[in-house]
Amino acid sequence: QVQLVESGGGLVQPGGSLRLSCAASGSIFSINVMGWYRQAPGKERELVAGIDSAGSTNYADSVKGRFTISKDNAENTVYLQMNSLKPEDTAVYYCNIDYIGQGWDRFDYWGQGTQVTVSS
């Protein structure tokens, strides 16, 4: 069993900041990639940012220069620092991990999602 515990969402004014965190625990041997996705009402889920085991990162064009993804390997936790937030950043944000289980199989797992609302 794997658990992903997300936190940090909420309501913020345009131009404000939020920091999301996602802690992974359970039957995990190693994590290949940790990422954040988001889904706005009526839209498809999209990748926001990802970070791999070597620390390489990638971002959606819409968040480059405003969002920063980072991780704590010892705690199996990934963070998303979101600055200069815009109303169009409003969405449910989901944590995702691509990991190797204790039985050496590869899995993909999603968190429950956390709401981010940017509004004045």
Side-chain angles (χ1 to χ4, degrees):
Q1 294 288 346
V2 170
Q3 296 83 38
L4 293 180
V5 179
E6 301 168 350
S7 62
L11 173 65
V12 65
Q13 292 186 344
S17 298
L18 283 174
R19 189 192 195 207
L20 306 182
S21 64
C22 172
S25 62
S27 302
I28 298 170
F29 177 76
S30 65
I31 298 176
N32 299 316
V33 181
M34 305 183 84
W36 289 97
Y37 291 72
R38 67 186 181 187
Q39 187 166 18
K43 295 187 176 181
E44 293 187 354
R45 191 172 297 189
E46 63 175 356
L47 174 68
V48 177
I51 185 166
D52 67 13
S53 57
S56 295
T57 59
N58 65 298
Y59 296 92
D61 287 343
S62 60
V63 307
K64 284 180 181 177
R66 300 188 298 123
F67 292 9
T68 302
I69 190 169
S70 61
K71 62 180 179 142
D72 181 332
N73 289 328
E75 299 294 330
N76 278 348
T77 299
V78 63
Y79 304 96
L80 185 68
Q81 178 66 43
M82 305 185 293
N83 298 328
S84 302
L85 282 160
K86 304 176 181 180
E88 51 263 44
D89 294 317
T90 296
V92 178
Y93 284 69
Y94 296 91
C95 176
N96 174 269
I97 63 168
D98 174 340
Y99 71 98
I100 304 297
Q102 298 292 349
W104 296 91
D105 290 331
R106 187 170 181 171
F107 298 95
D108 182 76
Y109 198 79
W110 292 90
Q112 79 282 1
T114 185
Q115 177 70 46
V116 171
T117 302
V118 185
S119 175
S120 55

